[in-house]
Amino acid sequence: KQEVTQIPAALSVPEGENLVLNCSFTDSAIYNLQWFRQDPGKGLTSLLLIQSSQREQTSGRLNASLDKSSGRSTLYIAASQPGDSATYLCAVEGRHNFNKFYFGSGTKLNVKP
Amino acid sequence: NAGVTQTPKFQVLKTGQSMTLQCAQDMNHEYMSWYRQDPGMGLRLIHYSVGAGITDQGEVPNGYNVSRSTTEDFPLRLLSAAPSQTSVYFCASSNRGDYGYTFGSGTRLTVV
């Protein structure tokens, strides 16, 4: 079974700082890796999707990378803002388990003004 | 487009009661899934469907039933609610994963 781990569990940074969130997975035979944002009491908003053939994806201040051989993905947030405060979730879809997403427990980010 | 719509948003059940959580999507997505989110455990897959008439079990299927009679709808049935089913339930859909998954806003269920 795929195990997905996110480190750190919580992170507090001052506004303007660049930061990196980490996601690791145990089975490198993945189809997709997707990063989500979840605000308190809300649903999941998709941030970036990286397909297994890709190494990175960028959207605005966000950049996600994927290294299948080492079983790792990172989400880089540039020039953080208080509005970035949320929980960030990493989810992996296996190549042999279509439509089954395995989620990490998330990193709770607090960006202080 | 409305995306993925879940109803109700909140529900309180007594132990032993049954109910159906509704999920509908208007994006003509083939794949639909149900997850539950519990503190410290992330999201776990309950059941999923790869098309109308096709369903399968996920990681934590016990106590839940699903059916997929149409492409748009994927209801989740709690047969006999238990306190262990207190959770937030999310429905998600995808068009084969090339564009990732879209999630509904969730149903917060409390079983007393």
Side-chain angles (χ1 to χ4, degrees):
Chain A
K1 176 193 162 188
Q2 179 77 266
E3 300 285 346
V4 181
T5 304
Q6 290 187 246
I7 295 174
L11 183 63
S12 184
V13 301
E15 181 177 6
E17 193 162 298
N18 301 325
L19 56 99
V20 174
L21 308 182
N22 296 294
C23 172
S24 62
F25 47 94
T26 54
D27 185 351
S28 62
I30 68 170
Y31 184 77
N32 283 331
L33 185 145
Q34 194 165 356
W35 282 93
F36 294 90
R37 168 187 173 135
Q38 185 175 30
D39 293 290
K42 303 295 184 182
L44 279 69
T45 301
S46 179
L47 296 174
L48 290 165
L49 171 72
I50 309 178
Q51 297 179 357
S52 62
S53 58
Q54 299 172 327
R55 294 296 299 262
E56 66 177 337
Q57 283 287 334
T58 298
S59 176
R61 295 182 293 109
L62 305 180
N63 176 277
S65 67
L66 173 64
D67 183 345
K68 287 190 303 179
S69 62
S70 65
R72 293 177 62 183
S73 175
T74 60
L75 179 66
Y76 175 82
I77 302 177
S80 58
Q81 303 170 358
D84 295 330
S85 298
T87 296
Y88 290 81
L89 296 163
C90 165
V92 174
E93 182 181 20
R95 184 173 297 279
H96 306 297
N97 290 287
F98 296 139
N99 202 41
K100 291 184 179 180
F101 255 153
Y102 291 94
F103 280 83
S105 296
T107 294
K108 187 173 183 178
L109 173 65
N110 178 37
V111 181
K112 298 172 289 186
Chain B
N1 284 345
V4 179
T5 302
Q6 290 186 238
T7 56
K9 294 191 182 302
F10 302 93
Q11 183 71 50
V12 179
L13 287 179
K14 293 182 179 179
T15 297
Q17 286 185 317
S18 62
M19 79 159 295
T20 299
L21 307 185
Q22 301 292 343
C23 176
Q25 53 92 7
D26 61 359
M27 298 171 285
N28 202 32
H29 283 175
E30 295 177 79
Y31 292 2
M32 297 185 75
S33 309
W34 276 102
Y35 291 84
R36 60 178 288 174
Q37 185 176 33
D38 302 295
M41 301 190 71
L43 280 82
R44 293 178 293 167
L45 181 63
I46 305 172
H47 285 287
Y48 66 98
S49 169
V50 297
I54 306 170
T55 64
D56 206 346
Q57 297 181 350
E59 190 180 357
V60 288
N62 292 340
Y64 307 96
N65 271 356
V66 292
S67 60
R68 184 98 179 268
S69 56
T70 67
T71 300
E72 295 78 19
D73 300 300
F74 191 43
L76 178 71
R77 298 182 186 85
L78 279 70
L79 309 174
S80 177
S84 61
Q85 293 178 305
T86 294
S87 187
V88 181
Y89 291 84
F90 289 101
C91 179
S93 73
S94 168
N95 206 15
R96 185 48 199 99
D98 290 344
Y99 298 98
Y101 281 77
T102 300
F103 279 76
S105 57
T107 294
R108 188 174 296 272
L109 176 68
T110 301
V111 182
V112 298

